[in-house]
Amino acid sequence: MTPRLSLATWRSATGRPDVTLPALDPEDLGTGIVHLGLGAFHRAHQAVLTEDAATATGDVRWGILGVTQRSARVADQLAPQDGLYGVLTKGTTETSLRVVGTVRGVAFPGADTERVLATIAAPTTHVVTLTVTEKGYRRATGGGPDLTDPDLAADLAALASGADAPARSPIGLLVRGLARRHRADAGPLTVVCCDNLSDNGAVLAALVDAVLAVTPGARPLRDWVAGSVRFPSTMVDRIVPATAPAHRAEAESLLGLVDEGLVVGEPFSQWVVEDAFAGPRPAWESAGALLTHDVVPYERAKLRILNASHSTLAYLGALRGYATIAQAVADPDLAATVRALVDDDVLPTLAAPPGMDLEQYRDDVLARFANPHTGHTTVQVAMDGSQKLPQRLLGTVRDRLAAGAVPVAAAATIAAWIAYVRAASLGELVVDGRAVALDDPMAAVLAEAARGPHDGLAERMLAVEPVFGDLAGSAELVGAVRSALGGRVTL
């Protein structure tokens, strides 16, 4: 039987071709970061750059306590491996594997809330990072916290009462950790949101403040957060597809060890971070991250070019039966649709950040999507559209309408999403030979609007206020979406 990756076995891979092992002994790393949302993206992105920064500087303070969210699955994978895992990088023609050792502990709030709170409150912890997806922030229609969410409500009740209860939401866990740190007088803290939310640092800061504003007895904590906690904005970028059995087999052949925590990524990786920290931080710039005073131009370009194109290919590709984004972008019609979206509607709304050629970025994005080895599935990218569209596309729509232009190409993407929702709701969506159900936190509301007659479909879907806000009042947009549903998008 092949042995499993762990602290006791990782050095056995020394000298294997195409395998990179940690340059620093993982056991030498202290815990200086708590990360909420220990999914594949964090393990292939921020954890890698954190290890590279530690290696470049010799600063061993920045090991990570990784906290899972919805289940203990990742913690159960990594705990027997002492936090070690591999990142399998798949380029178009080259493959490599590295073992990452910066995750020095794993925790699941259902069983380990006390450990997480204590670590956030430790004076040796200086940074909390988050990748909990757009829907993990439990935001209401207006952008504030959804106080009717039962998990968030339970956490706020525990915060107010001081009850020792398992945390049930990322925001609830964070504010309870902040409360513990405040009581311990452990010093300032930086909280770094790494999710695809516009102006994500300010969004997270506002959510935390709004939660504390309605929590009885939290005024001193709220004042402390305002003065001692910083929420820098970030932009993150790396395609990290789901790990398949074939990936695990390939990694095992390279490493000579079984790795249940393996993640897969493309060669490209980018991290732009607002340089606004409350205290010490890893020297991420030594690992290739860009520290800047203004993340917004980078973030907006990424959301509107890469993420919007990704979603467009996902909806249209799934409707044509394509299993992967690479298959979708290889379809000349779909590639042309994405180019029209970027060229006609997105680029006129953007100012190029320093050192960034937006047209070249567009071409690079399409080339990255065409990498057949990443295996990013259309269905995976298409999920949670009600949360993604406002972030990825609707800002472009509003900017074009404000400029007096009809966003025809962006309307085609909205129509593609509507067609996807309708087909999935009616049980008519088949991708790669398998029926696909609608996976969205607003699935019931969306299905009700989508299942009616085709006549009026655009109007009903655009009237879903939590997604589109006041855009239903734009006759130009409604007309463009209706036209796309009748012509360019196949239902």
Side-chain angles (χ1 to χ4, degrees):
M1 177 179 289
T2 306
R4 189 166 178 178
L5 175 63
S6 69
L7 283 172
T9 62
W10 66 279
R11 290 184 181 85
S12 67
T14 301
R16 282 185 167 263
D18 299 319
V19 176
T20 301
L21 299 179
L24 297 175
D25 191 321
E27 291 186 286
D28 290 340
L29 296 177
T31 299
I33 301 172
V34 174
H35 181 77
L36 308 184
L38 189 61
F41 184 81
H42 170 73
R43 285 178 280 152
H45 190 270
Q46 297 104 43
V48 171
L49 271 72
T50 299
E51 180 166 274
D52 288 346
T55 300
T57 62
D59 190 343
V60 296
R61 293 177 292 171
W62 304 112
I64 299 167
L65 172 64
V67 184
T68 64
Q69 289 299 319
R70 288 173 289 185
S71 78
R73 182 179 61 84
V74 175
D76 291 342
Q77 290 173 339
L78 293 183
Q81 298 183 181
D82 304 306
L84 301 180
Y85 63 91
V87 178
L88 186 68
T89 299
K90 301 285 292 181
T92 302
T93 59
E94 297 181 351
T95 295
S96 63
L97 179 71
R98 67 176 290 176
V99 175
V100 177
T102 196
V103 176
R104 300 313 320 126
V106 292
F108 170 53
D112 305 312
T113 289
E114 173 56 33
R115 179 186 179 191
V116 177
L117 298 180
T119 307
I120 292 175
T124 51
T125 298
H126 300 288
V127 178
V128 174
T129 54
L130 298 90
T131 50
V132 299
T133 76
E134 292 96 330
K135 66 181 178 182
Y137 290 89
R138 315 295 174 96
R139 294 200 294 167
T141 301
D146 182 2
L147 300 177
T148 67
D149 180 272
D151 294 331
L152 180 57
D155 283 328
L156 297 188
L159 174 66
S161 67
D164 183 17
R168 294 169 49 177
S169 71
I171 295 298
L173 180 59
L174 175 61
V175 295
R176 291 172 64 184
L178 294 175
R180 180 73 67 89
R181 189 175 185 89
H182 176 230
R183 290 198 301 271
D185 194 21
L189 186 71
T190 302
V191 180
V192 185
C193 176
C194 300
D195 282 299
N196 285 322
L197 299 169
S198 296
D199 202 12
N200 55 13
V203 167
L204 180 54
L207 284 172
V208 169
D209 185 68
V211 162
L212 296 178
V214 299
T215 301
R219 184 70 208 199
L221 172 59
R222 187 184 181 195
D223 292 342
W224 176 80
V225 169
S228 300
V229 181
R230 295 291 176 267
F231 297 86
S233 289
T234 68
M235 186 274 276
V236 297
D237 190 4
R238 190 178 193 185
I239 296 175
V240 180
T243 304
H247 295 137
R248 297 188 191 281
E250 184 175 13
E252 183 177 339
S253 70
L254 293 171
L255 185 61
L257 300 168
V258 173
D259 179 8
E260 296 295 341
L262 180 76
V263 295
V264 184
E266 64 168 336
F268 182 89
S269 181
Q270 184 181 25
W271 195 9
V272 182
V273 187
E274 182 185 5
D275 194 2
F277 287 77
R281 62 166 177 83
W284 283 313
E285 65 273 25
S286 68
L290 173 64
L291 275 292
T292 179
H293 293 296
D294 188 8
V295 172
V296 171
Y298 299 92
E299 174 236 28
R300 184 169 294 158
K302 190 253 183 176
L303 281 170
R304 296 191 178 190
I305 296 177
L306 185 145
N307 293 117
S309 297
H310 219 196
S311 290
T312 301
L313 289 168
Y315 301 130
L316 290 173
L319 289 167
R320 292 197 175 190
Y322 295 131
T324 68
I325 295 294
Q327 291 170 343
V329 78
D331 184 317
D333 291 341
L334 303 195
T337 298
V338 169
R339 280 189 169 270
L341 169 66
V342 175
D343 292 349
D344 297 348
D345 283 336
V346 173
L347 292 184
T349 74
L350 297 177
M356 190 173 187
D357 182 327
L358 294 179
E359 292 182 350
Q360 184 62 53
Y361 182 65
R362 172 205 61 204
D363 294 343
D364 291 344
V365 162
L366 292 176
R368 290 165 59 197
F369 288 165
N371 180 351
H373 298 296
T374 56
H376 226 165
T377 70
T378 54
V379 172
Q380 178 187 15
V381 177
M383 67 186 294
D384 301 335
S386 68
Q387 310 296 300
K388 292 176 178 176
L389 279 184
Q391 300 296 326
R392 301 179 175 197
L393 185 71
L394 300 188
T396 293
V397 170
R398 287 187 168 87
D399 284 351
R400 294 295 282 154
L401 290 172
V406 179
V408 173
T413 295
I414 295 173
W417 173 72
I418 291 173
Y420 180 95
V421 169
R422 180 179 172 86
S425 300
L426 294 174
E428 297 174 353
L429 182 61
V430 177
V431 178
D432 198 27
R434 293 181 295 177
V436 174
L438 183 61
D439 188 348
D440 193 288
M442 292 185 61
V445 173
L446 298 176
E448 182 179 358
R451 285 174 180 157
H454 188 274
D455 185 31
L457 176 60
E459 289 83 353
R460 293 196 307 274
M461 293 297 289
L462 288 169
V464 178
E465 200 271 342
V467 179
F468 294 101
D470 61 353
L471 286 175
S474 169
E476 294 82 5
L477 178 64
V478 173
V481 173
R482 188 191 306 116
S483 177
L485 282 170
R488 297 177 65 182
V489 175
T490 300
L491 285 170

